[in-house]
Amino acid sequence: MSKYSVTSGVQTAPVKVVLYGPEGIGKSSFAAKFPQPVFIDTEGGTKRLNVARLPAPTSWAMLLDEVSEVRKGNVPCRTLVIDTADWAERLCTEAVCARAKVHGIEDFGYGKGYTYLKEEFSRLLDALEEVLTTGRHVVVLAHAAITKFEQPDAVGNYDRWSMKTSKQVAPLLREWCDMLLFANYKTIVEKSGSGQNAKNKASGARRVLYTAHHACWDAKNRFGLPEEIPFDYASIAACIEGSAPAPAAPPSPAPAAPEPAPAATWTPGGSVTAEDTAPAESPAQQATRLRSTAREQLEKTLIAEQVPDKLRALMLHDLIDSATLRHAVHQRGCYPEDTPIANYDPQFVAGSLVASWDKWLQFINDNADVPF
């Protein structure tokens, strides 16, 4: 009999999320909707948000110590948010240079400084792994920048979006996470005239999340999400909520809980013995379940925002969140974008939004293209 047990089925575990996008798109606001988040705000970007936060770290050692306090259970939360990775890397760079008594990372010579930086930044990811073992989710935010990229098997280079971190740190974050999400404004570029010298005009600024790899950006997910979803927490809520047990409580002298039932093991005859041997969901089944849950989350949000019944039914059918609709209404010059839908004139809602919903939906979809 093998000394190792064999397990099967989907395992319940907290989620590791890396979200990056251009400045001001709403990354911090998005992360604030995760279950009971606490922020380690390295850049001061949450000052205008009503969120729980630890003191802004002034050094790399302080950042690691704050993460350790979360792991120990001394900070009540269910999600730890690092805001942002590129500013955390600055603290890491300062620590590496101070330790070697050099003025900058380039002073090491021959790229050695970036190797030391990569090794030191790995300590943060190791600390975040320990936070995950306590049942807490981890979200790492990062800014995005357009960089030149050249494929080894292609001639020439092209522009693409990437995380605004060093070339050594970005791969660490991409490999570490369960979900690598790219948030951007989806715009469409068209000619303003028919002449030979007609200029291009950009329109539309709908916020979307990309969840799969593209030539123009890096993204991935392990939950069967559609390649493009609205930039709303409801789009991924099913992947987060219920995916992890309650965070572990701080150590106490209370008696230990009874041990869980043994996992499936191999018997001498080679068969697997376990009470629950149901097969895991297929990617298609999981995607269907996630879309259904996303619709339920969206419905709760729209009800809370007091969106009129007939309009809410149309928005649910086409999975259009209130932010997307408010932006379209603003583009058409009807209302300021921050006006709640509940405050719209009932005649405008019934006579325009509901009566001409197909045209509004077409307008929303027409303002969508690659984010350049």
Side-chain angles (χ1 to χ4, degrees), residues 13 269 291:
R291 281 192 291 269

Side-chain angles (χ1 to χ4, degrees), residues 336-354:
E337 188 166 355
D338 58 355
T339 302
I341 296 176
N343 292 351
Y344 288 176
D345 188 308
Q347 293 183 353
F348 170 71
V349 173
S352 180
L353 293 178
V354 174

Side-chain angles (χ1 to χ4, degrees), residues 228-243:
E228 178 187 320
I229 54 179
F231 186 37
D232 190 282
Y233 177 72
S235 301
I236 66 166
C239 307
I240 307 300
E241 297 172 6
S243 62

Side-chain angles (χ1 to χ4, degrees), residues 19 26-32 38-47 49 51 53 56-57 63 80-89 91 124 139-143:
L19 168 66
K27 297 183 293 294
S28 300
S29 298
F30 183 87
V38 66
F39 283 71
I40 297 181
D41 188 354
T42 62
E43 61 174 69
T46 65
K47 291 179 180 178
L49 297 178
V51 296
R53 64 180 69 83
L63 172 59
L80 173 62
V81 183
I82 305 295
D83 189 2
T84 58
D86 31 309
W87 281 65
E89 185 180 348
L91 298 176
L124 173 60
V139 179
V140 178
L141 307 180
H143 292 99

